[in-house]
Amino acid sequence: MADAVSFKLHLTDKRTKARLGEVSTPHGSFGTPAFMPVGTAATVKAMRPEQVREAGAGIILSNTYHLYLRPGREVVREAGGLHAFMNWDGAVLTDSGGFQVFSLGPLRKISEEGVSFRSHIDGSPHMLTPEKAIEIQNDLGADIIMAFDECAPYPADRAYVEQSMERTGRWLRRCKAAHRDLAEQSLFGIMQGGVHADLRARSAADIVALDLPGYAIGGLSVGEPKPLMYEILDACVGLLPENKPRYLMGVGSPDCLFEGVERGVDMFDCVLPTRVARNGTALTSRGRVNIKNAKHERDFTPLDPACGCYVCRNYSKAYLRHLFKAGEILSSMLLTTHNVTFLLDVMKNIRAALRDGRFLEYKEEFFASFGSF
Amino acid sequence: MADAVSFKLHLTDKRTKARLGEVSTPHGSFGTPAFMPVGTAATVKAMRPEQVREAGAGIILSNTYHLYLRPGREVVREAGGLHAFMNWDGAVLTDSGGFQVFSLGPLRKISEEGVSFRSHIDGSPHMLTPEKAIEIQNDLGADIIMAFDECAPYPADRAYVEQSMERTGRWLRRCKAAHRDLAEQSLFGIMQGGVHADLRARSAADIVALDLPGYAIGGLSVGEPKPLMYEILDACVGLLPENKPRYLMGVGSPDCLFEGVERGVDMFDCVLPTRVARNGTALTSRGRVNIKNAKHERDFTPLDPACGCYVCRNYSKAYLRHLFKAGEILSSMLLTTHNVTFLLDVMKNIRAALRDGRFLEYKEEFFASFGSF
């Protein structure tokens, strides 16, 4: 039976490990390198789904932990899955819920069987296991589903990271065994191993042996310095198969996108563009714009003169500042639309630059214009 | 010099006082009876302006008090006025700020000169006079600007209502004298007089003598029982000139729209559709839907099967309930779009029914289907 998701590698950059490709899913294809906007609770916050599409997204990410607790897997299943429920006809990837339950701190307890935890909403007790994470994701119906892994914190004892990485491998086998409808949903495995290159190599070998349709790099961007993250990426992206998409989880600041692409990553996700928008920060070609700043009070120019998005075509910084100060919902709507469009435009430009053999030149131009990250 | 705003009366209903007409402004025409969505702070909350247009609005209302305090009249003037500032190319009406400052209670003090008050945002002291209310509205640049009046509370001493009504008349003369650019902005006078038919008649005679391009009925829907409001409307709408638009301020629940139209009102405004949307209530042809209700948890039908709006075409009650429970911004966005579209569709249907000579039949059908208000 054919996998739901397939990957076509168009080219690899001559001077870097950057790749241009395409991922096909039951809900359309998208070019890689790709950024996936995050729609935690089956909505990319403050955007209508067709606006997410218009911004250039071919795939979004949604969170199993949140949807499992609210509205519940049965509601989404009965709605016909996430696509129908949220009115999004593009591709969807769901995480396994692992990252969120591990972030609950004292509210959760890990064993070989899985993780028991209490809901952050009502304190009710729950248990996630590899089997259950797959079952829930089967109900949610995303095109790409993720293995139930443990994302070890940073910093952490090497011994703990090793043990956790090994357990992630055992859990992946249980996920694979539990997942049956391969033609509808593709299961991606997740490499762990913290900031230890040798553990990363062992993890890679362990999961690649299972011949899954895609692989993710987990456990980075969790507090370690960026140079250390880049060093680990240097060491481990190439350990994943060339003919499968490679997904760096939870990474999406503009500098990290370029650095990840340069090291051979194909897919990214991050709440950054949507979250900072709600806090009044715009990402622009000239760096971050804090819309709260008093200097924008009478600035009737757009957020980013180089941007052609709906927001930059129609609204001034003075108006956006007013909306933010007045606590208006339209503030979040407009800044989110701009930020998501901006990041997706960057990815589009990266793909065009790769096609034209000038990825490094584009990276240099972008960094020079953006200034400090 | 021609007035900025003109009114064309197409027909008066044979069996009621309902009128079908059209108001022309420097920013387009709109059919009457018309409902004006409220955009307090230069945004119809949770909607993009083109969505307000798509919902069928030809005119929106914005609030002088709020805009005067934030972002300030100079910012809006320098932006080129409200239309340019908020990216809305339809007509705009601004109130005078009177209603809001009178609602401040102990924070304000009334004299013949005007009203001194403290900002609800930072406590700073301010003074609004008829002259200043016009000056500010000149800066805001709406197509229709409103006289600075006193809206007496309900209940109130008859003697107080009389005194206040007479002052409103004197203030109107000062407003008229202060307003000069008649070709750009039209000043509407406001009838007061509380629930006393004789005071209403004196107020009407007083303001109609000034031959303004339009007249409003103020001081209703401020707490009096609905039958009393209808009784006053019966007595006073006909005292306003036939060839000028008549605007019933702050009224917008579906039943009151029909009752107002039936008595000869042409224009309405109200925060109701936008405010209740943010609280999880939808207006539908079958009455109000409380989206929080547990019975909607697995209801995959639209809010209103008889509605053709974007929301009813694409989303289920189950999804809308989920968004509301999860505190998602998209909840306010979608419910607001539905409610505004719903009310504007009702107005469109009223105009069509007037054209077809079946206003009373449509009213009866609507009331029977809506149930209790």
Side-chain angles (χ1 to χ4, degrees):
Chain A
M1 190 155 57
D3 279 323
V5 165
S6 63
F7 179 65
K8 197 169 161 185
L9 178 62
H10 294 320
L11 65 83
T12 301
D13 191 35
K14 289 199 170 55
R15 292 173 292 168
T16 70
K17 296 176 187 161
R19 296 139 53 98
L20 182 73
E22 189 174 4
V23 172
S24 296
T25 83
H27 290 88
S29 303
F30 55 89
T32 60
F35 176 78
M36 301 184 278
V38 175
T40 300
T43 158
V44 176
K45 290 187 196 303
M47 291 181 81
R48 288 183 179 184
E50 69 274 17
Q51 292 165 351
V52 178
R53 176 68 91 173
E54 193 187 306
I59 179 168
I60 62 169
L61 178 147
S62 207
N63 292 106
T64 290
Y65 169 77
H66 291 95
L67 295 172
Y68 164 71
L69 292 180
R70 187 172 55 198
R73 52 193 283 201
E74 298 85 1
V75 170
V76 178
R77 186 188 61 221
E78 287 173 31
L82 268 175
H83 302 83
F85 187 54
M86 67 181 289
N87 184 34
W88 168 254
D89 63 2
V92 179
L93 179 151
T94 44
D95 66 4
S96 67
F99 185 78
Q100 273 78 23
V101 298
F102 286 107
S103 309
L104 289 172
L107 291 173
R108 52 94 177 134
K109 222 168 109 181
I110 311 171
S111 67
E112 182 64 23
E113 173 62 12
V115 185
S116 61
F117 62 97
R118 287 185 176 277
S119 157
H120 75 283
I121 300 172
D122 62 7
S124 55
H126 298 270
M127 172 108 192
L128 267 186
T129 62
E131 291 78 12
K132 186 154 180 205
I134 295 300
E135 230 179 70
I136 299 169
Q137 291 185 86
N138 288 162
D139 280 349
L140 300 178
D143 305 277
I144 300 175
I145 64 178
M146 299 302 298
F148 188 68
D149 66 327
E150 181 184 354
C151 175
Y154 177 88
D157 276 355
R158 185 192 149 93
Y160 184 83
V161 175
E162 180 171 15
Q163 182 199 98
S164 150
M165 175 273 286
E166 287 171 350
R167 186 164 50 209
T168 287
R170 293 190 295 275
W171 282 358
L172 176 58
R173 282 160 179 80
R174 288 167 56 190
C175 286
K176 192 182 175 192
H179 179 54
R180 299 216 175 76
D181 198 352
L182 308 183
E184 291 293 319
Q185 301 183 293
S186 280
L187 171 67
F188 279 23
I190 304 175
M191 180 209 290
Q192 290 289 352
V195 294
H196 309 284
D198 60 323
L199 297 185
R200 288 276 167 187
R202 277 176 49 199
S203 178
D206 186 39
I207 66 177
V208 166
L210 296 183
D211 191 27
L212 296 165
Y215 291 96
I217 300 158
L220 289 179
S221 197
V222 291
E224 79 284 2
K226 282 182 181 179
L228 183 53
M229 174 171 105
Y230 301 150
E231 195 187 309
I232 295 299
L233 286 178
D234 278 330
C236 75
V237 179
L239 303 173
L240 296 174
E242 207 190 348
N243 61 342
K244 304 285 173 73
R246 302 155 172 175
Y247 159 32
L248 178 56
M249 303 182 82
V251 167
S253 75
D255 50 342
C256 295
L257 292 175
F258 279 93
E259 300 294 347
V261 167
E262 188 168 340
R263 289 162 176 81
V265 173
D266 306 305
M267 297 165 61
F268 302 85
D269 81 283
C270 194
V271 295
L272 180 119
T274 45
R275 180 169 294 165
V276 302
R278 298 195 303 283
N279 293 328
T281 296
L283 305 171
T284 80
S285 60
R286 295 174 187 181
R288 292 181 181 227
V289 170
N290 178 348
I291 204 65
K292 300 180 282 294
N293 204 307
K295 74 178 174 192
H296 304 308
E297 188 180 5
R298 295 173 188 216
D299 183 341
F300 300 106
T301 64
L303 276 177
D304 186 349
C307 177
C309 85
Y310 166 79
V311 182
C312 290
R313 288 199 311 275
N314 294 301
Y315 303 92
S316 66
K317 290 202 271 293
Y319 183 63
L320 294 168
R321 177 175 187 272
H322 161 64
L323 291 179
F324 186 88
K325 301 274 288 183
E328 288 289 345
I329 290 174
L330 191 60
S331 171
S332 294
M333 291 164 61
L334 297 181
L335 288 179
T336 302
T337 291
H338 168 80
N339 280 357
V340 169
T341 309
F342 177 79
L343 268 202
L344 292 171
D345 277 351
V346 168
M347 299 313 287
K348 190 163 63 182
N349 294 338
I350 285 177
R351 292 193 299 271
L354 283 168
R355 210 171 289 119
D356 300 343
R358 52 184 306 282
F359 168 71
L360 284 176
E361 287 78 3
Y362 175 56
K363 179 187 172 193
E364 196 178 332
E365 288 159 27
F366 183 90
F367 277 51
S369 172
F370 199 91
S372 76
F373 292 93
Chain B
M1 190 156 56
D3 281 321
V5 165
S6 63
F7 178 65
K8 199 170 158 185
L9 179 62
H10 294 321
L11 64 84
T12 301
D13 190 35
K14 287 196 171 60
R15 293 172 292 168
T16 70
K17 297 177 185 160
R19 296 138 54 96
L20 181 72
E22 190 174 4
V23 172
S24 296
T25 82
H27 290 88
S29 304
F30 55 89
T32 59
F35 177 78
M36 302 183 278
V38 175
T40 301
T43 158
V44 175
K45 292 188 195 304
M47 290 181 81
R48 288 184 178 184
E50 70 274 16
Q51 291 164 352
V52 178
R53 176 68 92 174
E54 193 187 307
I59 179 169
I60 61 169
L61 178 146
S62 208
N63 293 105
T64 290
Y65 168 79
H66 291 95
L67 295 171
Y68 163 71
L69 293 180
R70 187 171 55 196
R73 51 194 283 202
E74 299 85 0
V75 170
V76 178
R77 187 188 61 224
E78 287 174 31
L82 267 176
H83 302 84
F85 186 54
M86 68 181 289
N87 183 34
W88 167 254
D89 63 1
V92 180
L93 178 150
T94 44
D95 66 5
S96 67
F99 185 79
Q100 274 79 23
V101 297
F102 285 107
S103 309
L104 290 172
L107 291 172
R108 53 92 176 136
K109 223 169 107 181
I110 311 172
S111 67
E112 184 64 21
E113 173 61 10
V115 185
S116 61
F117 63 96
R118 289 185 176 277
S119 157
H120 75 283
I121 300 171
D122 62 6
S124 55
H126 299 270
M127 172 108 191
L128 267 185
T129 63
E131 291 78 11
K132 186 154 181 204
I134 296 299
E135 232 179 68
I136 298 169
Q137 290 185 85
N138 289 161
D139 281 348
L140 300 178
D143 304 277
I144 300 175
I145 66 177
M146 299 303 298
F148 187 69
D149 65 327
E150 180 183 354
C151 175
Y154 178 87
D157 276 355
R158 186 192 148 91
Y160 183 82
V161 175
E162 181 171 15
Q163 182 201 97
S164 151
M165 175 272 285
E166 288 171 348
R167 186 166 49 211
T168 286
R170 293 191 296 276
W171 282 358
L172 177 57
R173 282 160 180 79
R174 288 166 57 190
C175 286
K176 193 184 177 192
H179 179 54
R180 297 214 176 76
D181 198 352
L182 308 182
E184 291 293 320
Q185 300 183 294
S186 280
L187 172 67
F188 280 23
I190 304 176
M191 180 209 289
Q192 289 290 351
V195 295
H196 310 284
D198 61 322
L199 298 185
R200 288 276 167 186
R202 278 175 50 199
S203 178
D206 187 39
I207 65 176
V208 166
L210 297 183
D211 192 27
L212 295 165
Y215 291 96
I217 300 157
L220 288 178
S221 197
V222 292
E224 80 284 2
K226 283 182 181 179
L228 183 53
M229 173 171 105
Y230 301 150
E231 195 187 309
I232 295 299
L233 286 178
D234 278 330
C236 76
V237 179
L239 303 172
L240 297 174
E242 206 189 349
N243 62 342
K244 304 286 173 71
R246 302 154 173 177
Y247 159 33
L248 178 56
M249 303 181 80
V251 167
S253 75
D255 50 343
C256 295
L257 292 174
F258 279 93
E259 300 295 347
V261 167
E262 187 168 341
R263 288 161 176 82
V265 173
D266 306 305
M267 295 165 62
F268 302 86
D269 82 280
C270 194
V271 296
L272 180 119
T274 45
R275 180 169 294 165
V276 303
R278 298 195 301 285
N279 293 328
T281 297
L283 305 171
T284 80
S285 61
R286 296 175 187 180
R288 293 182 181 226
V289 169
N290 178 348
I291 204 64
K292 299 181 283 292
N293 202 307
K295 75 179 173 191
H296 303 309
E297 188 180 4
R298 295 175 187 213
D299 183 341
F300 300 105
T301 64
L303 276 177
D304 187 348
C307 178
C309 85
Y310 165 79
V311 182
C312 290
R313 288 197 314 274
N314 294 301
Y315 303 92
S316 65
K317 290 203 271 295
Y319 183 64
L320 293 168
R321 176 176 187 272
H322 162 64
L323 291 178
F324 186 88
K325 302 274 288 182
E328 287 289 344
I329 289 174
L330 189 61
S331 170
S332 294
M333 292 165 61
L334 296 181
L335 288 178
T336 302
T337 290
H338 168 80
N339 280 356
V340 169
T341 309
F342 176 79
L343 268 202
L344 292 171
D345 278 351
V346 168
M347 300 312 287
K348 190 163 65 181
N349 294 339
I350 285 177
R351 293 193 298 273
L354 284 168
R355 210 171 289 119
D356 299 344
R358 50 184 308 281
F359 169 72
L360 284 176
E361 287 78 4
Y362 175 56
K363 180 188 170 193
E364 196 177 333
E365 288 159 26
F366 184 90
F367 277 52
S369 172
F370 198 93
S372 75
F373 291 92

